[in-house]
């Protein structure tokens, strides 16, 4: 039994959810590693 239809407009398709199927969240526009850097002492900056 199909319980819901979802649109992925950017990817160009529709998919059906059936029963107790769960989905995972999508990825953000900017990956987290883009905000990481090293300071002059070699410490990682941007983890929090």
């Amino acid at each position: 039994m199909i319980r819901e239809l979802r649109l992925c407009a950017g990817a160009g398709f529709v998919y059906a959810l059936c029963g107790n199927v769960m989905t995972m969240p999508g990825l953000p526009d900017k990956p987290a590693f883009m905000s990481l850097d090293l300071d002059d002492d070699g410490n990682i900056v941007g983890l929090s």
Side-chain angles (χ1 to χ4, degrees), residues 26-36 46:
L27 297 174
D29 292 336
K30 180 180 175 188
F33 79 87
M34 297 290 288
S35 62
L36 295 178

Side-chain angles (χ1 to χ4, degrees), residues 7-13:
L7 171 66
C8 290
F13 61 88

